[in-house]
Amino acid sequence: RYLMLVLTGIGEKSKIPEAVSGTIAAMTSRGTTSENAGATNRIPPYMWDAEAVANYLRSKHLPGAAQRCQDERVNGMVLLELDSSWELSALSIVSAETRARFREAVAELHSGPAQQQIPERFLCPITQELMKDPVLAQDNHTYERSAILEWLRFNKTSPLTRAEMGAVVIPNLLVKSMIQDYRDQHPHAFNGN
């Protein structure tokens, strides 16, 4: 959601770093792309579009299910909720072996880094990833240090408000502490990351 705010007002002449432009391109094309969602897992599964879902299923050697999900426009939110036998039958997933592999692939998404469980306030508005070094910028928003400094190398405006701002950032120790507390209370959501 925050990233969509970043997009308003970005003109063709804006210079933005490749890491940010890749994420922006992914978010603006059709929600997400398979390149960003399936391959790098930078975008949480619940935000995947049908193409990203299909590519993920293909990577799990489920080409028939992948094609059917793409044909039916099953996005990441729907994929994460699919479970009942009739829903899988509706997608022409009828063999017990394929159903088991399909459920296993979906279960992997639930047990992975699980960014869908991480509170949004702990995600950098630019990268949509969990912040490791949160800083407060002059627009009074918190960002991952490397992301906001990279943004400010090419832009003199806030990525969220588009108002002019300088490149001074200060560590946001409160948010960093909150993230660490969350990590300590939910170690299963990070699998060592």
Side-chain angles (χ1 to χ4, degrees):
R1 286 180 226 148
Y2 291 119
L3 194 52
M4 296 311 289
L5 294 173
V6 172
L7 299 175
T8 57
I10 292 179
E12 292 178 14
K13 295 180 181 177
S14 293
K15 295 179 181 176
I16 55 177
E18 281 185 33
V20 175
S21 66
T23 303
I24 290 171
M27 297 294 284
T28 57
S29 61
R30 278 177 289 146
T32 64
T33 66
S34 56
E35 178 183 309
N36 283 351
T40 65
N41 290 323
R42 298 189 100 174
I43 298 183
Y46 72 92
M47 294 178 67
W48 292 355
D49 64 5
E51 182 183 349
V53 167
N55 282 342
Y56 172 74
L57 293 173
R58 283 186 197 99
S59 77
K60 297 298 178 184
H61 308 290
L62 294 162
Q67 187 59 51
R68 189 68 176 150
C69 284
Q70 192 165 12
D71 292 346
E72 295 296 323
R73 299 178 186 227
V74 173
N75 64 25
M77 288 279 264
V78 173
L79 177 70
L80 291 169
E81 298 299 321
L82 284 177
D83 190 35
S84 73
S85 294
W86 73 266
E87 289 171 325
L88 298 179
S89 294
L91 289 172
S92 301
I93 303 172
V94 292
S95 85
E97 179 186 345
T98 304
R99 283 183 187 197
R101 288 180 31 230
F102 184 90
R103 285 188 174 119
E104 187 177 303
V106 173
E108 268 184 46
L109 295 176
H110 286 287
S111 65
Q115 282 196 342
Q116 65 269 22
Q117 297 174 4
I118 298 172
E120 192 172 309
R121 67 185 177 273
F122 298 156
L123 302 178
C124 173
I126 297 172
T127 66
Q128 291 298 298
E129 293 178 355
L130 182 68
M131 291 184 281
K132 294 178 181 153
D133 187 11
V135 294
L136 186 64
Q138 290 181 339
D139 64 353
N140 290 321
H141 290 280
T142 299
Y143 304 92
E144 176 62 33
R145 179 185 299 273
S146 60
I148 191 62
L149 292 177
E150 184 71 11
W151 172 272
L152 291 171
R153 281 184 51 215
F154 299 98
N155 301 278
K156 301 301 177 205
T157 60
S158 162
L160 294 178
T161 66
R162 304 303 293 161
E164 285 191 31
M165 71 178 212
V168 175
V169 297
I170 57 172
N172 192 330
L173 300 177
L174 176 62
V175 171
K176 188 171 188 168
S177 174
M178 291 168 58
I179 291 171
Q180 187 57 52
D181 288 347
Y182 183 83
R183 289 178 71 105
D184 292 344
Q185 293 170 5
H186 303 89
H188 62 281
F190 300 96
N191 292 337
N193 292 327

